[in-house]
mmCIF file of all heavy atoms in Angstrom:
data_model
loop_
_atom_site.group_PDB
_atom_site.id
_atom_site.type_symbol
_atom_site.label_atom_id
_atom_site.label_comp_id
_atom_site.label_asym_id
_atom_site.label_seq_id
_atom_site.Cartn_x
_atom_site.Cartn_y
_atom_site.Cartn_z
ATOM 1 N N ASP A 97 -13.541 13.107 -9.952
ATOM 2 C CA ASP A 97 -14.159 14.426 -9.855
ATOM 3 C C ASP A 97 -13.689 15.127 -8.573
ATOM 4 O O ASP A 97 -13.907 14.631 -7.466
ATOM 5 C CB ASP A 97 -15.683 14.278 -9.856
ATOM 6 C CG ASP A 97 -16.388 15.601 -9.754
ATOM 7 O OD1 ASP A 97 -16.614 16.244 -10.806
ATOM 8 O OD2 ASP A 97 -16.708 16.007 -8.610
ATOM 9 N N VAL A 98 -13.038 16.273 -8.719
ATOM 10 C CA VAL A 98 -12.419 16.974 -7.588
ATOM 11 C C VAL A 98 -13.447 17.359 -6.528
ATOM 12 O O VAL A 98 -13.225 17.142 -5.330
ATOM 13 C CB VAL A 98 -11.638 18.224 -8.079
ATOM 14 C CG1 VAL A 98 -11.099 19.024 -6.905
ATOM 15 C CG2 VAL A 98 -10.514 17.814 -9.002
ATOM 16 N N ALA A 99 -14.560 17.934 -6.936
ATOM 17 C CA ALA A 99 -15.577 18.361 -5.966
ATOM 18 C C ALA A 99 -16.153 17.157 -5.222
ATOM 19 O O ALA A 99 -16.319 17.187 -4.001
ATOM 20 C CB ALA A 99 -16.683 19.136 -6.676
ATOM 21 N N ARG A 100 -16.435 16.096 -5.950
ATOM 22 C CA ARG A 100 -16.970 14.873 -5.309
ATOM 23 C C ARG A 100 -15.922 14.276 -4.374
ATOM 24 O O ARG A 100 -16.259 13.794 -3.295
ATOM 25 C CB ARG A 100 -17.352 13.876 -6.399
ATOM 26 C CG ARG A 100 -17.881 12.578 -5.860
ATOM 27 C CD ARG A 100 -19.313 12.376 -6.252
ATOM 28 N NE ARG A 100 -19.787 11.045 -5.919
ATOM 29 C CZ ARG A 100 -20.473 10.779 -4.809
ATOM 30 N NH1 ARG A 100 -20.781 11.742 -3.979
ATOM 31 N NH2 ARG A 100 -20.862 9.549 -4.548
ATOM 32 N N ARG A 101 -14.654 14.289 -4.784
ATOM 33 C CA ARG A 101 -13.581 13.772 -3.931
ATOM 34 C C ARG A 101 -13.546 14.523 -2.604
ATOM 35 O O ARG A 101 -13.493 13.910 -1.534
ATOM 36 C CB ARG A 101 -12.229 13.870 -4.643
ATOM 37 C CG ARG A 101 -11.086 13.286 -3.799
ATOM 38 C CD ARG A 101 -9.726 13.399 -4.455
ATOM 39 N NE ARG A 101 -9.739 13.327 -5.889
ATOM 40 C CZ ARG A 101 -9.200 14.262 -6.684
ATOM 41 N NH1 ARG A 101 -8.597 15.324 -6.171
ATOM 42 N NH2 ARG A 101 -9.245 14.140 -7.991
ATOM 43 N N ARG A 102 -13.557 15.850 -2.668
ATOM 44 C CA ARG A 102 -13.535 16.642 -1.425
ATOM 45 C C ARG A 102 -14.700 16.274 -0.511
ATOM 46 O O ARG A 102 -14.536 16.095 0.686
ATOM 47 C CB ARG A 102 -13.586 18.136 -1.752
ATOM 48 C CG ARG A 102 -12.275 18.694 -2.172
ATOM 49 C CD ARG A 102 -12.330 20.221 -2.236
ATOM 50 N NE ARG A 102 -11.316 20.695 -3.124
ATOM 51 C CZ ARG A 102 -11.531 21.385 -4.238
ATOM 52 N NH1 ARG A 102 -12.746 21.749 -4.575
ATOM 53 N NH2 ARG A 102 -10.535 21.728 -5.005
ATOM 54 N N GLU A 103 -15.872 16.173 -1.116
ATOM 55 C CA GLU A 103 -17.071 15.849 -0.330
ATOM 56 C C GLU A 103 -16.958 14.473 0.325
ATOM 57 O O GLU A 103 -17.191 14.319 1.522
ATOM 58 C CB GLU A 103 -18.300 15.885 -1.250
ATOM 59 C CG GLU A 103 -19.559 15.378 -0.578
ATOM 60 C CD GLU A 103 -20.658 15.039 -1.583
ATOM 61 O OE1 GLU A 103 -20.571 15.439 -2.757
ATOM 62 O OE2 GLU A 103 -21.593 14.340 -1.170
ATOM 63 N N LEU A 104 -16.577 13.472 -0.468
ATOM 64 C CA LEU A 104 -16.510 12.112 0.073
ATOM 65 C C LEU A 104 -15.389 11.952 1.090
ATOM 66 O O LEU A 104 -15.566 11.256 2.096
ATOM 67 C CB LEU A 104 -16.364 11.096 -1.054
ATOM 68 C CG LEU A 104 -17.607 10.926 -1.927
ATOM 69 C CD1 LEU A 104 -17.344 9.932 -3.051
ATOM 70 C CD2 LEU A 104 -18.812 10.503 -1.108
ATOM 71 N N LEU A 105 -14.250 12.591 0.878
ATOM 72 C CA LEU A 105 -13.164 12.484 1.859
ATOM 73 C C LEU A 105 -13.557 13.115 3.190
ATOM 74 O O LEU A 105 -13.086 12.690 4.245
ATOM 75 C CB LEU A 105 -11.874 13.088 1.307
ATOM 76 C CG LEU A 105 -11.232 12.301 0.155
ATOM 77 C CD1 LEU A 105 -10.015 13.036 -0.373
ATOM 78 C CD2 LEU A 105 -10.879 10.882 0.566
ATOM 79 N N ARG A 106 -14.426 14.098 3.164
ATOM 80 C CA ARG A 106 -14.962 14.649 4.427
ATOM 81 C C ARG A 106 -15.926 13.658 5.070
ATOM 82 O O ARG A 106 -15.865 13.400 6.263
ATOM 83 C CB ARG A 106 -15.674 15.978 4.177
ATOM 84 C CG ARG A 106 -14.763 17.180 4.167
ATOM 85 C CD ARG A 106 -15.532 18.493 4.293
ATOM 86 N NE ARG A 106 -16.465 18.728 3.195
ATOM 87 C CZ ARG A 106 -16.137 19.267 2.030
ATOM 88 N NH1 ARG A 106 -14.899 19.636 1.795
ATOM 89 N NH2 ARG A 106 -17.049 19.437 1.101
ATOM 90 N N ARG A 107 -16.812 13.112 4.252
ATOM 91 C CA ARG A 107 -17.830 12.192 4.779
ATOM 92 C C ARG A 107 -17.228 10.859 5.220
ATOM 93 O O ARG A 107 -17.776 10.185 6.088
ATOM 94 C CB ARG A 107 -18.909 11.970 3.731
ATOM 95 C CG ARG A 107 -19.719 13.252 3.478
ATOM 96 C CD ARG A 107 -20.711 13.107 2.359
ATOM 97 N NE ARG A 107 -21.746 12.159 2.701
ATOM 98 C CZ ARG A 107 -22.488 11.529 1.791
ATOM 99 N NH1 ARG A 107 -22.299 11.748 0.505
ATOM 100 N NH2 ARG A 107 -23.410 10.677 2.177
ATOM 101 N N TRP A 108 -16.111 10.475 4.621
ATOM 102 C CA TRP A 108 -15.459 9.205 4.932
ATOM 103 C C TRP A 108 -14.299 9.372 5.913
ATOM 104 O O TRP A 108 -13.435 8.507 6.005
ATOM 105 C CB TRP A 108 -14.917 8.566 3.663
ATOM 106 C CG TRP A 108 -15.939 8.152 2.656
ATOM 107 C CD1 TRP A 108 -17.302 8.143 2.786
ATOM 108 C CD2 TRP A 108 -15.666 7.676 1.345
ATOM 109 N NE1 TRP A 108 -17.876 7.696 1.636
ATOM 110 C CE2 TRP A 108 -16.903 7.400 0.720
ATOM 111 C CE3 TRP A 108 -14.502 7.462 0.629
ATOM 112 C CZ2 TRP A 108 -17.007 6.915 -0.572
ATOM 113 C CZ3 TRP A 108 -14.597 6.983 -0.673
ATOM 114 C CH2 TRP A 108 -15.837 6.709 -1.260
ATOM 115 N N LYS A 109 -14.276 10.440 6.640
ATOM 116 C CA LYS A 109 -13.132 10.746 7.516
ATOM 117 C C LYS A 109 -12.757 9.571 8.427
ATOM 118 O O LYS A 109 -11.586 9.324 8.690
ATOM 119 C CB LYS A 109 -13.441 11.991 8.350
ATOM 120 C CG LYS A 109 -12.274 12.459 9.167
ATOM 121 C CD LYS A 109 -12.615 13.733 9.892
ATOM 122 C CE LYS A 109 -11.498 14.070 10.861
ATOM 123 N NZ LYS A 109 -11.851 15.157 11.719
ATOM 124 N N ASP A 110 -13.720 8.817 8.894
ATOM 125 C CA ASP A 110 -13.446 7.687 9.788
ATOM 126 C C ASP A 110 -13.343 6.347 9.047
ATOM 127 O O ASP A 110 -13.329 5.285 9.669
ATOM 128 C CB ASP A 110 -14.498 7.607 10.893
ATOM 129 C CG ASP A 110 -15.909 7.401 10.371
ATOM 130 O OD1 ASP A 110 -16.163 7.662 9.165
ATOM 131 O OD2 ASP A 110 -16.774 6.978 11.161
#
Side-chain angles (χ1 to χ4, degrees):
D97 180 86
V98 175
R100 179 116 171 97
R101 182 182 328 125
R102 281 190 203 119
E103 172 196 345
L104 290 178
L105 291 176
R106 275 196 298 276
R107 293 175 66 202
W108 295 352
K109 186 176 172 189
D110 61 341

